[in-house]
Amino acid sequence: MPELPDLTVVAEALHAALAGRTIRTANAVAPLAVRGTPAELDALVGQRLTAVRRRGKFLLLDLDRDAVVVNPMLTGRFQLADPTAKHPSKTAMVLGFSSRARGPRDVASWTSAASWMPANDATPEIRYRDPTQMGKVYLQPAGVERPVAGLGDDQGPDADDPALTLDVWRERIRRHPGELKNLLRNQAFVAGIGNAYSDEILHAAKLLPFRKRSSLASEEVDALYAATRTTLATAIDVLRERVPPTFEKQVRDFLAVHDKGGQACPRCGTKITEVRAGGFITSYCRGCQR
Ligand SMILES: [Zn+2]
């Protein structure tokens, strides 16, 4: 499932590649993935893309007038491609873009002079594909209230939000006494962390996933904050190097513990424990997490 680091890199890349271009074509190849009417989809054509952003585990496309919000869920992925390139299988939606006079000014510096960046006179496409068809594309025409499940007031601040200071973290975490893995994955606490990065953060913080927050000493609450920030920032740096130009691929092989059951812990050498519960994997080290 794409999480904060994955979607940050995709949003930065798509913003740099596409902002300032006008939508030329909008096709729902798998109409069930799209929440909105065919007329609303057609109305995207002719609108200029002003920004691509991430919020929690959602990707947001801001247009002149309307907006598009994508919740990729488990397997939704974004491909940036030339329109002549073959569509990947299970493509759900394709947006084709015009050429542009120039790119936006507010780009992430790592995208400058990137070899994969479409030329301004190119006409690139975004293909959104989703093999399990669990993700959703929400069309948000101006003036239409279409709620997006999970995006809104009940969502906590992004886990990498500069406004989420240590003091804010200490305050927010008091409301959540339960197990640490569930806490980190709870989007009402902080947004953007899922199954993989919760394991990574807990390993970095040397805390066990099934430990209760109510059992933590104050230094451990602070360690969890520090681990959250460094783990996400480090992952974003790695993904900026490793993901382009195949934005549809999920790169996870560099993680320390998640999905590495049976391998040696990179910190202490103990065999990594893997537990399957509720349909997902939890990986941790009994040697150095407590
Ligand atoms: Zn270990």
Side-chain angles (χ1 to χ4, degrees):
M1 176 188 274
E3 300 183 27
L4 186 152
D6 310 294
L7 286 174
T8 295
V9 171
V10 169
E12 288 174 343
L14 295 183
H15 179 75
L18 301 174
R21 300 179 191 271
T22 299
I23 295 184
R24 246 177 353 107
T25 59
N27 290 310
V29 184
L32 288 179
V34 179
R35 291 281 183 270
T37 67
E40 290 168 351
L41 186 67
D42 288 345
L44 300 181
V45 173
Q47 295 193 55
R48 201 171 54 95
L49 179 74
T50 55
V52 182
R53 298 180 289 132
R54 179 197 59 76
R55 171 77 174 102
K57 293 191 268 183
F58 296 85
L59 194 82
L60 290 76
L61 309 181
D62 296 335
L63 307 173
D64 280 339
R65 184 183 68 234
D66 302 340
V68 178
V69 176
V70 184
N71 179 2
M73 293 291 291
L74 284 181
T75 57
R77 303 284 186 270
F78 303 89
Q79 183 190 51
L80 176 66
D82 185 86
T84 58
K86 193 169 163 278
H87 285 185
S89 63
K90 305 288 185 183
T91 294
M93 190 175 75
V94 179
L95 295 177
F97 290 86
S98 71
S99 61
R100 65 183 177 190
R102 67 190 72 79
R105 286 167 197 267
D106 56 339
V107 295
S109 56
W110 69 274
T111 62
S112 301
S115 58
W116 48 266
M117 186 67 65
N120 286 331
D121 62 0
T123 56
E125 284 183 353
I126 304 181
R127 288 88 176 263
Y128 170 69
R129 73 179 293 252
D130 187 1
T132 62
Q133 310 255 329
M134 289 170 72
K136 288 286 169 284
V137 178
Y138 297 85
L139 307 182
Q140 304 272 284
V144 173
E145 284 290 321
R146 178 168 290 129
V148 177
L151 181 70
D153 295 342
D154 48 355
Q155 194 179 27
D158 278 320
D160 66 345
D161 188 333
L164 179 65
T165 61
L166 178 57
D167 282 342
V168 174
W169 174 273
R170 288 170 176 159
E171 184 61 38
R172 294 187 67 82
I173 208 167
R174 279 187 211 160
R175 289 170 235 164
H176 303 277
E179 291 179 358
L180 296 178
K181 170 129 180 169
N182 290 338
L183 166 75
L184 290 174
R185 293 170 65 242
N186 182 348
Q187 305 299 298
F189 170 52
V190 291
I193 300 169
N195 197 37
Y197 284 98
S198 56
D199 283 353
E200 293 300 298
I201 290 165
L202 288 166
H203 182 259
K206 303 184 184 173
L207 296 169
L208 287 166
F210 304 115
R211 196 124 160 236
K212 294 250 170 66
R213 195 282 302 159
S214 53
S215 77
L216 294 189
S218 59
E219 313 86 77
E220 290 175 316
V221 168
D222 294 2
L224 192 56
Y225 175 78
T228 299
R229 298 301 210 147
T230 52
T231 300
L232 296 175
T234 304
I236 289 169
D237 280 344
V238 171
L239 296 177
R240 283 169 174 161
E241 288 285 327
R242 297 267 319 271
V243 169
T246 46
F247 297 101
E248 65 276 24
K249 294 243 168 71
Q250 191 160 274
V251 177
R252 292 273 163 90
D253 56 356
F254 67 96
L255 298 183
V257 284
H258 180 71
D259 209 8
K260 304 229 164 153
Q263 299 181 37
C265 167
R267 187 164 51 213
C268 75
T270 305
K271 246 189 201 179
I272 293 164
T273 302
E274 185 168 294
V275 177
R276 278 179 186 272
F280 55 84
I281 289 174
T282 294
S283 318
Y284 58 97
C285 176
R286 290 174 193 276
C288 60
Q289 292 176 248
R290 13 209 119 241

